[in-house]
């Protein structure tokens, strides 16, 4: 009896001692891991939250810490002696908004202060301790922990209450371990946030590993020529369709359309070559940009040009040339003087995204209203280009995604052949009506009704092939001496700012696709200055619009995986050669207008999508950014609509798709100066100008962190000097640098 009582008292003391220790610790339920764990769920979670972390494979973690002025100190156990894991430590770069790599524990364990943590991964949670215990309390805690460990060892060995009495431990719920990932320790399971490539150790940018052709790669003449032609063919929708809009609106003939197309090919080749050697040196095509299309249509539809009958085309072209030259000189000064470097601080993705999107949305009144004149051609064309670009984009033919890369030229050739068979089959033959007779000379009412359909649908209505010469070299001032007016010059100066903002977004996005780092502000200024010089050449040659970096370059590099500077330069040479063959321009000028309008619907939608994609650099879920973009786009569409309603008589004279561009002569602004009235009414009737103005003011006045705004981060000059690869990507050619050095020595 005494023995029993003594053993009972010892058990009671042991129980009391254990209860004292248990009372010191918070009661935490057992952790039950999910056995059906799916790593993709963690990956999607990391993408949504922006975190990349090391997740421990252990089922238990004990942390003792304290809050002080520096925040929360997370401590770990001595060398994980008991198999314990660690709580993931995550660092966020305050500028880039990216996670830095886990560098391990940066907080050493202070054994004297008693912040140690003891864990056993097979037994579950043993507890959390908070605060600092010193002196006698610390020695008492260590002694109590030893008692707890003895109890745990007894349970694991089967002699404790958790055993089955035969020395075999009964597995508890807490002992279930999650599945390990192959090839990795259970504490090294990592979520990859960067599917395109690994982030660099310094948290910087990384090159896209899937590029077929790098910026400075040169694998022989045959691949370079092929990829060069491929690059320009994928941009065919932007390079050749603008003359099909502006030349007929200016009263030009089919021969004039062919000549303008040839001129545009020449200017594209020359300006692309200049930009690749002396500008940013990125593989970007310069060409006739849609940025200049809206102001060109505004000038074309001015009141004083509507009643011109003799030499109308040449007169309007000379007016456009003078305005483009003045606006381009302003852009060159902005770039070469370095003012663009200061302006870059105010240009961010929240400004670029709605501005570029507004460039495409500006033509919604022209797109399908013009294409709808021949629905049997336009609807199949729109459907086919969407099928190629979206549904068949993953199909590879001999290792090349032909449908995704050549969506525009392939669909145009197929529908063009289909329209030819419709024309040859007599679908557009009307009794007593001839497509060769101008609509103004048709006397029959029945033929007048069908004249519009024949003009837009027939493939044989153009006489460009019969009138164009085989060899013709475009030359400067071929339309005459440019005409300079203050009103048109003011319009093009503001439009050159819009073009610069568009190019800044293209430079940044393309550089991340091509290089490890974006260019420096000085290189961006050099590129903008060179764009201004290229637009001066476009004004002298008379292409009808200025030359700018095509926004669609980003899409082309992304789908072709080719970013070779040499390939773009050789493609530019082919553009120059094609411009000398007059029949090439004649063939392109013979494309039916309904077919051209259908392709432009796709191209303008693509520009809207590319513009909005700039929001990927910002916190797109931020209410600040959402509100700024929404307000910019809505006001960018609504305010011009207010100015465009002041044209009561133009709706009876102009086609419906040109009415929105006729507000300059009839707008609500009246300052007493006709030149200034025309310029203000014209600018406020253009969607992209109003959108840029609203977005620029809101983004630079509404408070927001750099990470939230997605501020563009450009390389520094010291990065260019210390990184040979970066210097080779962006620096001017050696011969050019030697010439500049000699000029400086002579000047000194």
């Amino acid at each position: 009896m005494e023995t029993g009582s003594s053993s009972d008292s010892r058990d009671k003391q042991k129980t009391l001692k254990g209860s004292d220790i248990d009372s010191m610790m918070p009661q935490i339920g057992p952790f039950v891991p999910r056995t059906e764990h799916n790593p993709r769920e963690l990956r999607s979670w990391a993408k949504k939250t922006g975190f990349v972390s090391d997740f421990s494979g252990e089922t238990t973690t004990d942390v003792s810490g304290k809050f002080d002025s520096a925040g929360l100190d997370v401590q770990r156990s001595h060398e994980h002696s008991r198999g314990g894991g660690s709580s993931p430590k995550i660092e966020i770069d305050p500028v880039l908004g990216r996670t830095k790599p886990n560098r391990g524990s940066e907080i050493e364990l202070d054994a004297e202060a008693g912040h140690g943590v003891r864990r056993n991964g097979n037994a579950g949670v043993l507890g959390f301790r908070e605060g600092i215990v010193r002196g006698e309390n610390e020695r008492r805690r260590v002694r109590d922990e030893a008692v707890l460990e003895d109890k745990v060892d007894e349970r694991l060995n089967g002699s404790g209450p958790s055993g089955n009495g035969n020395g075999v431990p009964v597995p508890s719920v807490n002992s279930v371990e999650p599945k390990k990932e192959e090839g990795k320790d259970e504490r090294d399971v990592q979520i990859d946030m960067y599917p395109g490539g690994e982030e660099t150790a310094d948290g910087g940018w990384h090159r896209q590993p899937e590029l077929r052709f790098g910026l400075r790669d040169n694998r022989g003449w045959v691949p370079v020529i092929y990829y060069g032609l491929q690059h320009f063919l994928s941009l065919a929708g932007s390079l050749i369709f603008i003359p099909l809009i502006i030349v007929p609106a200016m009263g030009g003939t089919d021969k004039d359309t062919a000549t303008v197309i040839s001129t545009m090919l020449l200017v594209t080749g020359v300006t692309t070559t200049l930009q690749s050697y002396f500008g940013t040196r990125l593989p970007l095509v310069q060409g006739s940009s849609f940025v200049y299309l809206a102001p060109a249509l505004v000038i074309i539809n001015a009141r004083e040009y509507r009643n011109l009958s003799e030499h109308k085309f040449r007169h309007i072209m000379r007016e456009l040339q003078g305005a483009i030259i003045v606006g381009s000189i302003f852009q060159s000064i902005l770039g070469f003087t370095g003012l663009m470097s200061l302006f870059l601080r105010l240009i961010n993705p929240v400004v670029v995204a709605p501005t570029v999107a507004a460039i495409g949305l500006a033509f919604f009144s022209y797109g399908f209203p013009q294409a709808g004149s021949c629905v049997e051609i336009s609807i199949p064309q729109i459907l086919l280009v969407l099928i190629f670009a979206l549904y068949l984009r993953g199909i590879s033919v001999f290792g090349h995604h032909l449908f995704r890369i050549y969506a525009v030229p392939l669909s145009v050739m197929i529908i063009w052949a289909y329209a030819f068979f419709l024309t040859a089959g007599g679908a557009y033959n009307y009794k007593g009506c001839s497509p060769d007779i101008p609509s103004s000379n048709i006397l029959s009412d029945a033929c007048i009704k069908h004249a519009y359909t024949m003009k837009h649908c027939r493939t044989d209505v153009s006489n460009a092939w019969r009138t164009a010469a085989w060899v013709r070299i475009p030359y400067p001032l071929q339309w005459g001496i440019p005409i300079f007016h203050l009103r048109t010059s003011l319009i093009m100066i503001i439009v050159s700012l819009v073009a610069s903002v568009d190019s800044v977004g293209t430079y940044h996005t393309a550089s991340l696709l091509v290089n490890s780092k974006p260019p420096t502000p000085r290189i961006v200024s050099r590129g903008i200055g060179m764009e201004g010089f290229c637009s001066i050449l476009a004004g002298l040659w008379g292409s009808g619009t200025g030359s700018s970096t095509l926004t669609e370059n980003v899409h082309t590099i992304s789908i072709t995986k080719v970013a070779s500077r040499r390939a773009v330069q050789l493609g530019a040479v082919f553009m120059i050669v094609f411009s000398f063959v007059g029949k090439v321009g004649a063939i392109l000028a013979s494309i039916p207008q309904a077919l051209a309008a259908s392709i432009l619907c796709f191209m303008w939608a693509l520009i809207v999508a590319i513009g909005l994609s700039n929001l990927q650099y910002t916190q797109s879920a931020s209410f600040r950014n959402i509100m700024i973009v929404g307000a910019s786009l809505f006001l960018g569409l609504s305010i011009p609509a207010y100015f465009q309603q002041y044209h009561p008589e133009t709706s009876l004279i102009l086609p419906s798709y040109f009415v929105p561009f006729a507000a300059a002569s009839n707008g609500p602004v009246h300052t007493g100066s006709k030149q200034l009235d025309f310029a203000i009414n014209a600018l406020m009737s253009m969607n992209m100008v109003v959108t840029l103005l609203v977005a620029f003011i809101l983004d630079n006045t509404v408070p927001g962190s750099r990470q939230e705004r997605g501020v563009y981060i450009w390389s520094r000059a010291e990065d260019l000097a210390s990184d040979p690869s970066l210097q080779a990507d962006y620096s001017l050619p050696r011969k050019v640098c030697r010439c500049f050095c000699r000029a400086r020595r002579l000047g000194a």
Side-chain angles (χ1 to χ4, degrees):
M1 294 295 293
E2 293 178 359
T3 305
S5 62
S6 62
S7 63
D8 291 340
S9 63
R10 282 195 301 270
D11 291 338
K12 289 181 180 179
Q13 291 177 0
K14 229 172 193 180
T15 305
L16 290 174
K17 190 177 294 185
S19 63
D20 292 337
I21 297 173
D22 292 337
S23 64
M24 297 171 58
M25 308 178 189
Q27 298 298 323
I28 300 177
F31 172 72
V32 182
R34 291 175 54 184
T35 57
E36 69 278 7
H37 167 65
N38 186 4
R40 293 185 178 178
E41 295 182 3
L42 290 177
R43 186 174 293 110
S44 63
W45 171 85
K47 289 182 179 179
K48 292 178 180 178
T49 57
F51 287 96
V52 176
S53 172
D54 290 336
F55 285 83
S56 174
E58 294 293 333
T59 60
T60 63
T61 303
D62 290 350
V63 180
S64 100
K66 62 180 180 178
F67 285 95
D68 56 9
S69 60
L72 178 65
D73 293 336
V74 182
Q75 299 178 340
R76 301 183 178 188
S77 63
H78 287 289
E79 300 176 352
H80 302 279
S81 59
R82 297 261 174 197
S86 63
S87 178
K89 182 172 168 233
I90 301 172
E91 276 188 69
I92 303 295
D93 193 316
V95 177
L96 296 177
R98 300 179 177 178
T99 55
K100 292 184 179 179
N102 194 345
R103 296 179 183 141
S105 176
E106 296 181 1
I107 304 176
E108 297 295 331
L109 183 65
D110 188 359
E112 296 180 1
H115 293 169
V117 180
R118 294 179 179 271
R119 299 179 293 188
N120 191 299
N122 297 326
V125 177
L126 292 181
F128 288 84
R129 293 189 176 88
E130 298 180 359
I132 301 176
V133 182
R134 301 179 182 276
E136 185 64 27
N137 293 335
E138 175 63 27
R139 289 193 295 272
R140 182 178 177 182
R141 179 194 294 179
V142 174
R143 185 173 59 252
D144 293 340
E145 286 181 351
V147 175
L148 286 176
E149 288 181 1
D150 293 339
K151 289 186 176 182
V152 172
D153 292 338
E154 290 177 0
R155 292 183 180 182
L156 292 176
N157 293 330
S159 59
S162 297
N164 59 4
N166 298 324
V168 180
V170 178
S172 62
V173 179
N174 294 352
S175 63
V176 180
E177 297 184 359
K179 296 179 181 179
K180 298 181 183 178
E181 193 172 335
E182 270 186 52
K184 291 188 178 180
D185 185 70
E186 58 185 1
R187 288 172 298 186
D188 295 333
V189 179
Q190 189 174 13
I191 295 175
D192 187 11
M193 180 181 166
Y194 305 97
E198 295 182 357
E199 188 186 24
T200 57
D202 57 352
W205 298 270
H206 58 282
R207 177 177 298 207
Q208 297 291 331
E210 66 271 11
L211 285 179
R212 293 182 178 180
F213 241 111
L215 182 63
R216 289 175 280 118
D217 290 348
N218 187 6
R219 303 177 186 175
W221 289 103
V222 175
V224 169
I225 292 174
Y226 170 75
Y227 286 123
L229 291 174
Q230 170 185 274
H231 198 96
F232 280 85
L233 279 175
S234 62
L235 292 170
S238 303
L239 296 175
I240 63 177
F241 286 105
I242 290 181
L244 298 178
I245 300 176
I246 62 174
V247 175
M250 297 163 64
T253 62
D254 297 329
K255 182 180 179 181
D256 294 331
T257 303
T259 303
V260 173
I261 291 177
S262 298
T263 304
M264 195 167 289
L265 293 177
L266 174 64
V267 172
T268 297
V270 173
T271 56
T272 301
T273 304
L274 291 175
Q275 186 68 263
S276 64
Y277 277 105
F278 309 110
T280 59
R281 308 214 68 199
L282 290 169
L284 301 176
V285 175
Q286 303 287 302
S288 183
S289 175
F290 291 115
V291 177
Y292 292 94
L293 179 57
L297 292 176
V298 168
I299 296 174
I300 291 170
N301 291 284
R303 181 188 300 168
E304 51 268 34
Y305 302 140
R306 296 172 193 166
N307 298 324
L308 288 179
S309 57
E310 188 176 358
H311 306 299
K312 178 181 178 180
F313 169 75
R314 287 181 174 270
H315 186 83
I316 298 177
M317 178 62 78
R318 290 161 58 198
E319 185 85 34
L320 289 174
Q321 287 181 262
I324 292 171
I325 291 173
V326 174
S328 303
I329 292 174
F330 172 80
Q331 189 179 20
S332 296
I333 295 174
L334 184 68
F336 289 135
T337 58
L339 293 176
M340 194 64 198
S341 300
L342 303 176
F343 192 48
L344 279 178
R345 303 175 184 177
L346 306 176
I347 302 176
N348 297 307
V350 181
V351 178
V352 174
T355 302
V356 177
I359 295 173
L361 292 174
F363 304 102
F364 73 93
S365 62
Y366 180 90
F368 200 78
Q370 177 76 303
S373 61
C374 191
V375 292
E376 60 271 17
I377 292 177
S378 59
I379 291 180
Q381 174 64 71
I382 294 175
L383 291 177
L384 191 62
V385 71
L386 289 177
I387 290 172
F388 284 171
L390 297 177
Y391 294 96
L392 303 182
R393 60 191 174 95
I395 296 179
S396 177
V397 180
F398 300 109
H400 298 277
H401 294 85
L402 298 181
F403 296 105
R404 182 168 59 181
I405 298 174
Y406 304 110
V408 171
L410 276 178
S411 61
V412 168
M413 288 190 292
I414 293 174
I415 300 300
W416 199 358
Y418 163 68
F420 174 79
F421 285 115
L422 287 180
T423 303
Y428 306 112
N429 293 338
Y430 302 99
K431 185 177 180 180
C433 303
S434 174
D436 298 329
I437 301 176
S439 58
S440 58
N441 297 336
I442 297 177
L443 300 178
S444 173
D445 293 337
C447 292
I448 292 176
K449 186 174 76 172
H450 299 300
Y452 188 80
T453 302
M454 291 188 294
K455 179 181 179 182
H456 287 76
C457 302
R458 295 184 67 95
T459 57
D460 59 352
V461 71
S462 175
N463 60 358
W465 177 263
R466 297 188 294 270
T467 58
W470 277 99
V471 178
R472 185 187 183 277
I473 300 177
Y475 55 91
L477 306 179
Q478 57 186 334
W479 312 113
I481 304 299
I483 300 174
F484 299 92
H485 282 121
L486 176 63
R487 57 179 189 175
T488 54
S489 299
L490 290 176
I491 294 173
M492 285 300 177
I493 287 175
I494 302 300
V495 171
S496 66
L497 288 176
V498 179
S500 300
V501 172
D502 180 17
S503 298
V504 166
T506 305
Y507 292 165
H508 187 271
T509 305
S511 64
L512 297 184
L513 290 173
V514 175
N515 298 307
S516 57
K517 290 184 179 180
T520 63
R522 184 177 178 182
I523 295 174
V524 174
S525 296
R526 189 177 71 197
I528 296 298
M530 184 54 62
E531 279 194 19
F533 178 74
C534 293
S535 290
I536 293 175
L537 297 181
L540 291 175
W541 258 264
S543 61
T545 60
S547 179
S548 178
T549 301
L550 298 180
T551 310
E552 303 86 293
N553 276 290
V554 175
H555 174 69
T556 299
I557 296 175
S558 177
I559 63 175
T560 61
K561 309 301 180 185
V562 175
S564 173
R565 183 191 298 144
R566 182 65 58 84
V568 172
Q569 291 169 349
L570 277 179
V573 172
F574 278 100
M575 293 297 105
I576 296 174
V577 173
F578 291 153
S579 69
F580 296 157
V581 182
K583 295 297 184 181
V584 173
I587 294 176
L588 298 176
S590 303
I591 298 177
Q593 292 187 9
L595 191 152
S598 304
I599 282 295
L600 288 174
C601 289
F602 172 79
M603 298 305 303
W604 289 328
L606 178 63
I607 291 176
V608 175
I610 294 174
L612 294 178
S613 68
N614 284 277
L615 294 175
Q616 65 182 309
Y617 305 109
T618 70
Q619 291 183 355
S620 56
S622 167
F623 176 77
R624 173 195 181 274
N625 297 341
I626 293 174
M627 193 62 216
I628 290 176
V629 173
S632 302
L633 286 176
F634 178 79
L635 295 177
L637 295 175
S638 185
I639 293 178
Y642 168 75
F643 280 79
Q644 293 166 5
Q645 68 181 352
Y646 288 88
H647 44 70
E649 74 280 359
T650 54
S651 59
L652 303 176
I653 302 173
L654 297 175
S656 60
Y657 45 81
F658 281 148
V659 170
F661 304 101
S665 301
N666 307 93
V669 176
H670 300 283
T671 62
S673 172
K674 292 184 178 180
Q675 299 281 337
L676 191 59
D677 292 345
F678 185 91
I680 295 177
N681 288 322
L683 291 172
M684 296 305 294
S685 66
M686 287 189 283
N687 305 91
M688 58 183 180
V689 175
V690 178
T691 302
L692 172 62
L693 182 63
V694 175
F696 183 83
I697 294 175
L698 292 179
D699 185 55
N700 290 283
T701 55
V702 178
S705 64
R706 293 174 58 88
Q707 180 180 353
E708 182 181 15
R709 298 171 62 194
V711 175
Y712 284 139
I713 300 177
W714 306 100
S715 300
R716 297 172 298 176
E718 47 268 29
D719 297 335
L720 190 65
S722 60
D723 190 349
S725 176
L726 193 64
Q727 189 173 9
D729 289 344
Y730 292 116
S731 296
L732 294 174
R734 294 181 180 179
K735 295 182 180 179
V736 178
C737 293
R738 292 174 184 173
C739 294
F740 279 114
C741 292
R742 291 176 183 176
R744 290 180 181 177
R745 292 174 184 174
L746 293 176

